[in-house]
Amino acid sequence: MEAFQTQGIKLPRLGLGTYRMQGDVCRAAVESGLALGYRHIDTAEMYSNEDAIGAAIASSGVPRSELHVTTKVWNENLTPDAMRRVFDASLKKLRLDVVDLYLVHWPKEGMHLPSMFETLMKLKEERRARAIGVANFNIALLKTVVEELKAPIACNQIEYHVMLDQSKVKKYMDSKSIPLVAYCPLAQGRAASDETLVAIGKKHNASAAQVALRWLLDQDGVAAIPKASRRESQQANLDALKVELDDDDRRKIAALPKNQRFVSPGFAPAWD
Ligand SMILES: NC(=O)c1ccc[n+]([C@@H]2O[C@H](COP(=O)([O-])OP(=O)(O)OC[C@H]3O[C@@H](n4cnc5c(N)ncnc54)[C@H](OP(=O)(O)O)[C@@H]3O)[C@@H](O)[C@H]2O)c1
């Protein structure tokens, strides 16, 4: 699997999302994903599935050194003490000594960025998080973290798919060599029935979902973490890497409306 080098870690460009899967369903999905060859698993304290993922990893037989696991601290736990407490709990549930990437899941009004990143950097120094990063950070927040705090962030995980323009934040991230990890890369499944993508897919003997993933993975500095509970969909998403889009396909995808954001809680920051 193709991977980025970022802040000392190797981040596979296609990962398995796990939001809204818990318990045995999550365990089975992650076991199946690992058996098919996924080596990047995305979870979060907030998903309440780290225990199921820990069980799946333990039973998979995949060497730890081949596996990348991302987890995240929820925004109710951004004080240093709380962050350490939930970090310890995440590691324990995942049955790991070290997590590959630890992200701030969502910014929160009034959060104290210097103490948050000091805590994250200590976790990195202690070699319990191999790298640290953020999710849902806009340009202003990224500037503070990167330019003022000089935090070595390995990615910004944000919503990105064929129906949403993220060019402004991506331009800033590219200028600082920060990879974009695209969440909701299938627009929460909507991409699978988009008529334009279906037509492009027919031309290449591929599905609309595969076209949507390929479009993301064709872009420098972009990784994607589609969630798929079914083995067939997991395999199809891996096979998206075999699809080849041409300029005409890319023109058609560029012309799709790109103003649809599907994840936007009330406390989301202004984006530009
Ligand atoms: N950092 C953040 O704030 C944040 C926010 C949201 C999500 N995330 C992460 O990003 C991951 C992905 O986002 P998401 O789960 O919201 O949406 P998504 O990956 O865009 O879409 C998932 C949906 O697409 C379906 N699907 C998967 N592969 C398919 C295929 N090949 N053909 C047709 N349908 C397919 C899934 O089906 P099934 O239901 O059958 O599995 C599911 O309904 C999450 O699971 C989570 O790990 C992070």
Side-chain angles (χ1 to χ4, degrees):
M1 169 81 62
E2 208 187 318
F4 297 128
Q5 293 287 346
T6 172
Q7 299 294 350
I9 58 166
K10 238 171 95 180
L11 180 68
R13 290 190 67 199
L14 188 65
L16 185 66
T18 65
Y19 186 36
R20 294 198 187 84
M21 291 195 291
Q22 291 166 343
D24 289 346
V25 170
C26 182
R27 180 177 173 162
V30 174
E31 281 174 353
S32 144
L34 292 172
L36 290 174
Y38 283 85
R39 292 295 178 265
H40 169 175
I41 307 293
D42 183 80
T43 180
E45 171 206 349
M46 192 271 252
Y47 301 170
S48 299
N49 62 13
E50 290 167 310
D51 49 352
I53 291 170
I57 292 170
S59 69
S60 71
V62 174
R64 178 67 186 92
S65 59
E66 288 180 16
L67 189 61
H68 171 98
V69 180
T70 296
T71 192
K72 320 182 188 85
V73 51
W74 187 235
N75 72 355
E76 285 166 5
N77 295 318
L78 296 178
T79 60
D81 286 353
M83 207 186 265
R84 280 203 169 264
R85 180 171 43 75
V86 297
F87 177 82
D88 288 347
S90 288
L91 272 193
K92 196 167 173 199
K93 287 181 197 159
L94 288 165
R95 306 189 198 181
L96 300 176
D97 300 326
V98 55
V99 73
D100 299 278
L101 186 52
Y102 197 48
L103 306 184
V104 176
H105 199 152
W106 274 100
K108 185 178 186 175
E109 214 174 317
M111 64 187 169
H112 188 248
L113 288 169
S115 63
M116 284 162 55
F117 281 87
E118 195 183 307
T119 308
L120 288 171
M121 283 184 326
K122 276 193 194 139
L123 291 172
K124 187 170 147 84
E125 274 164 33
E126 291 163 12
R127 299 180 195 275
R128 297 203 298 149
R130 294 182 59 230
I132 59 170
V134 295
N136 301 297
F137 270 38
N138 63 7
I139 296 174
L141 287 170
L142 287 172
K143 278 190 172 166
T144 305
V145 170
V146 174
E147 295 176 30
E148 286 177 33
L149 302 178
K150 315 270 185 223
I153 58 168
C155 78
N156 185 21
Q157 185 182 117
I158 55 176
E159 178 174 349
Y160 188 31
H161 45 70
V162 289
M163 301 174 188
L164 183 65
D165 176 33
Q166 288 287 25
S167 54
K168 285 186 188 156
V169 68
K170 184 169 187 314
K171 192 171 170 205
Y172 177 77
M173 289 164 59
D174 286 346
S175 74
K176 301 290 176 194
S177 303
I178 301 167
L180 188 166
V181 177
Y183 76 65
C184 303
L186 298 172
Q188 295 179 334
R190 293 170 184 85
S193 52
D194 180 273
E195 280 176 20
T196 304
L197 303 183
V198 170
I200 294 171
K202 274 198 182 128
K203 203 171 102 185
H204 299 289
N205 201 17
S207 70
Q210 288 175 319
V211 171
L213 287 178
R214 185 67 228 201
W215 178 79
L216 285 171
L217 295 171
D218 270 345
Q219 300 173 44
D220 286 342
V222 176
I225 47 170
K227 174 253 177 183
S229 54
R230 295 170 50 246
R231 190 181 177 88
E232 296 73 25
S233 304
Q234 293 177 347
Q235 183 63 59
N237 295 345
L238 284 176
D239 289 344
L241 291 163
K242 297 180 192 156
V243 177
E244 281 195 29
L245 302 180
D246 59 33
D247 288 345
D248 188 42
D249 304 331
R250 276 187 280 274
R251 258 194 303 278
K252 286 183 178 141
I253 296 172
L256 291 174
K258 299 217 182 291
N259 56 358
Q260 300 194 61
R261 187 185 288 282
F262 301 113
V263 180
S264 196
F267 49 76
W271 281 94
D272 301 318

mmCIF file of all heavy atoms in Angstrom, residues 204-220:
data_model
loop_
_atom_site.group_PDB
_atom_site.id
_atom_site.type_symbol
_atom_site.label_atom_id
_atom_site.label_comp_id
_atom_site.label_asym_id
_atom_site.label_seq_id
_atom_site.Cartn_x
_atom_site.Cartn_y
_atom_site.Cartn_z
ATOM 1 N N HIS A 204 -14.982 2.819 -17.148
ATOM 2 C CA HIS A 204 -13.759 2.141 -16.686
ATOM 3 C C HIS A 204 -14.055 0.797 -16.016
ATOM 4 O O HIS A 204 -13.169 0.245 -15.339
ATOM 5 C CB HIS A 204 -13.031 3.035 -15.668
ATOM 6 C CG HIS A 204 -12.596 4.350 -16.234
ATOM 7 N ND1 HIS A 204 -11.578 4.474 -17.143
ATOM 8 C CD2 HIS A 204 -13.068 5.603 -16.029
ATOM 9 C CE1 HIS A 204 -11.415 5.762 -17.453
ATOM 10 N NE2 HIS A 204 -12.314 6.460 -16.788
ATOM 11 N N ASN A 205 -15.305 0.341 -16.158
ATOM 12 C CA ASN A 205 -15.685 -0.902 -15.495
ATOM 13 C C ASN A 205 -15.464 -0.809 -13.973
ATOM 14 O O ASN A 205 -14.950 -1.732 -13.345
ATOM 15 C CB ASN A 205 -14.872 -2.072 -16.092
ATOM 16 C CG ASN A 205 -15.558 -3.394 -15.828
ATOM 17 O OD1 ASN A 205 -16.745 -3.416 -15.492
ATOM 18 N ND2 ASN A 205 -14.818 -4.480 -15.931
ATOM 19 N N ALA A 206 -15.834 0.331 -13.449
ATOM 20 C CA ALA A 206 -15.647 0.588 -12.009
ATOM 21 C C ALA A 206 -16.949 1.143 -11.434
ATOM 22 O O ALA A 206 -17.859 1.513 -12.181
ATOM 23 C CB ALA A 206 -14.522 1.609 -11.815
ATOM 24 N N SER A 207 -17.026 1.201 -10.114
ATOM 25 C CA SER A 207 -18.226 1.767 -9.482
ATOM 26 C C SER A 207 -18.028 3.263 -9.246
ATOM 27 O O SER A 207 -16.893 3.768 -9.253
ATOM 28 C CB SER A 207 -18.493 1.071 -8.150
ATOM 29 O OG SER A 207 -17.500 1.447 -7.215
ATOM 30 N N ALA A 208 -19.144 3.938 -8.973
ATOM 31 C CA ALA A 208 -19.072 5.375 -8.680
ATOM 32 C C ALA A 208 -18.227 5.614 -7.425
ATOM 33 O O ALA A 208 -17.460 6.582 -7.362
ATOM 34 C CB ALA A 208 -20.481 5.923 -8.491
ATOM 35 N N ALA A 209 -18.359 4.752 -6.428
ATOM 36 C CA ALA A 209 -17.583 4.919 -5.190
ATOM 37 C C ALA A 209 -16.088 4.815 -5.494
ATOM 38 O O ALA A 209 -15.276 5.590 -4.964
ATOM 39 C CB ALA A 209 -18.000 3.861 -4.169
ATOM 40 N N GLN A 210 -15.728 3.892 -6.358
ATOM 41 C CA GLN A 210 -14.304 3.748 -6.711
ATOM 42 C C GLN A 210 -13.791 5.009 -7.432
ATOM 43 O O GLN A 210 -12.668 5.450 -7.192
ATOM 44 C CB GLN A 210 -14.099 2.518 -7.593
ATOM 45 C CG GLN A 210 -14.266 1.217 -6.814
ATOM 46 C CD GLN A 210 -14.195 -0.017 -7.701
ATOM 47 O OE1 GLN A 210 -14.737 -0.035 -8.817
ATOM 48 N NE2 GLN A 210 -13.533 -1.046 -7.218
ATOM 49 N N VAL A 211 -14.645 5.572 -8.286
ATOM 50 C CA VAL A 211 -14.248 6.804 -8.990
ATOM 51 C C VAL A 211 -14.011 7.926 -7.973
ATOM 52 O O VAL A 211 -13.016 8.658 -8.050
ATOM 53 C CB VAL A 211 -15.338 7.216 -10.016
ATOM 54 C CG1 VAL A 211 -15.055 8.596 -10.599
ATOM 55 C CG2 VAL A 211 -15.446 6.166 -11.125
ATOM 56 N N ALA A 212 -14.924 8.020 -6.990
ATOM 57 C CA ALA A 212 -14.796 9.084 -5.972
ATOM 58 C C ALA A 212 -13.488 8.929 -5.185
ATOM 59 O O ALA A 212 -12.794 9.912 -4.908
ATOM 60 C CB ALA A 212 -15.993 9.039 -5.033
ATOM 61 N N LEU A 213 -13.152 7.698 -4.847
ATOM 62 C CA LEU A 213 -11.912 7.471 -4.071
ATOM 63 C C LEU A 213 -10.678 7.741 -4.925
ATOM 64 O O LEU A 213 -9.711 8.344 -4.474
ATOM 65 C CB LEU A 213 -11.876 6.036 -3.547
ATOM 66 C CG LEU A 213 -12.828 5.721 -2.389
ATOM 67 C CD1 LEU A 213 -12.713 4.245 -2.016
ATOM 68 C CD2 LEU A 213 -12.529 6.601 -1.175
ATOM 69 N N ARG A 214 -10.747 7.283 -6.176
ATOM 70 C CA ARG A 214 -9.586 7.469 -7.056
ATOM 71 C C ARG A 214 -9.300 8.954 -7.275
ATOM 72 O O ARG A 214 -8.150 9.389 -7.331
ATOM 73 C CB ARG A 214 -9.846 6.760 -8.388
ATOM 74 C CG ARG A 214 -8.689 6.778 -9.328
ATOM 75 C CD ARG A 214 -7.570 5.943 -8.772
ATOM 76 N NE ARG A 214 -6.297 6.610 -8.821
ATOM 77 C CZ ARG A 214 -5.124 5.980 -8.770
ATOM 78 N NH1 ARG A 214 -5.076 4.673 -8.650
ATOM 79 N NH2 ARG A 214 -4.016 6.649 -8.833
ATOM 80 N N TRP A 215 -10.400 9.731 -7.404
ATOM 81 C CA TRP A 215 -10.249 11.180 -7.601
ATOM 82 C C TRP A 215 -9.479 11.793 -6.422
ATOM 83 O O TRP A 215 -8.596 12.629 -6.604
ATOM 84 C CB TRP A 215 -11.634 11.815 -7.739
ATOM 85 C CG TRP A 215 -11.609 13.296 -7.901
ATOM 86 C CD1 TRP A 215 -11.346 14.003 -9.043
ATOM 87 C CD2 TRP A 215 -11.860 14.267 -6.866
ATOM 88 N NE1 TRP A 215 -11.414 15.354 -8.775
ATOM 89 C CE2 TRP A 215 -11.738 15.542 -7.447
ATOM 90 C CE3 TRP A 215 -12.193 14.182 -5.516
ATOM 91 C CZ2 TRP A 215 -11.921 16.717 -6.728
ATOM 92 C CZ3 TRP A 215 -12.380 15.348 -4.797
ATOM 93 C CH2 TRP A 215 -12.240 16.602 -5.405
ATOM 94 N N LEU A 216 -9.782 11.346 -5.222
ATOM 95 C CA LEU A 216 -9.060 11.854 -4.048
ATOM 96 C C LEU A 216 -7.606 11.397 -4.064
ATOM 97 O O LEU A 216 -6.678 12.178 -3.833
ATOM 98 C CB LEU A 216 -9.714 11.341 -2.758
ATOM 99 C CG LEU A 216 -11.032 11.976 -2.332
ATOM 100 C CD1 LEU A 216 -11.629 11.198 -1.163
ATOM 101 C CD2 LEU A 216 -10.831 13.441 -1.949
ATOM 102 N N LEU A 217 -7.425 10.096 -4.326
ATOM 103 C CA LEU A 217 -6.076 9.525 -4.197
ATOM 104 C C LEU A 217 -5.153 9.926 -5.353
ATOM 105 O O LEU A 217 -3.952 9.736 -5.266
ATOM 106 C CB LEU A 217 -6.170 8.005 -4.054
ATOM 107 C CG LEU A 217 -6.884 7.562 -2.755
ATOM 108 C CD1 LEU A 217 -7.160 6.068 -2.756
ATOM 109 C CD2 LEU A 217 -6.080 7.950 -1.525
ATOM 110 N N ASP A 218 -5.743 10.505 -6.409
ATOM 111 C CA ASP A 218 -4.919 11.049 -7.494
ATOM 112 C C ASP A 218 -4.262 12.357 -7.094
ATOM 113 O O ASP A 218 -3.384 12.857 -7.800
ATOM 114 C CB ASP A 218 -5.789 11.314 -8.737
ATOM 115 C CG ASP A 218 -5.839 10.106 -9.655
ATOM 116 O OD1 ASP A 218 -5.004 9.196 -9.482
ATOM 117 O OD2 ASP A 218 -6.727 10.060 -10.533
ATOM 118 N N GLN A 219 -4.699 12.946 -5.991
ATOM 119 C CA GLN A 219 -4.183 14.255 -5.595
ATOM 120 C C GLN A 219 -2.992 14.111 -4.647
ATOM 121 O O GLN A 219 -3.061 13.347 -3.675
ATOM 122 C CB GLN A 219 -5.290 15.050 -4.898
ATOM 123 C CG GLN A 219 -6.495 15.275 -5.792
ATOM 124 C CD GLN A 219 -7.654 15.913 -5.053
ATOM 125 O OE1 GLN A 219 -7.475 16.837 -4.293
ATOM 126 N NE2 GLN A 219 -8.851 15.421 -5.310
ATOM 127 N N ASP A 220 -1.951 14.874 -4.939
ATOM 128 C CA ASP A 220 -0.766 14.831 -4.066
ATOM 129 C C ASP A 220 -1.163 15.232 -2.654
ATOM 130 O O ASP A 220 -1.944 16.160 -2.456
ATOM 131 C CB ASP A 220 0.294 15.822 -4.560
ATOM 132 C CG ASP A 220 0.971 15.308 -5.808
ATOM 133 O OD1 ASP A 220 0.872 14.092 -6.083
ATOM 134 O OD2 ASP A 220 1.561 16.130 -6.522
#
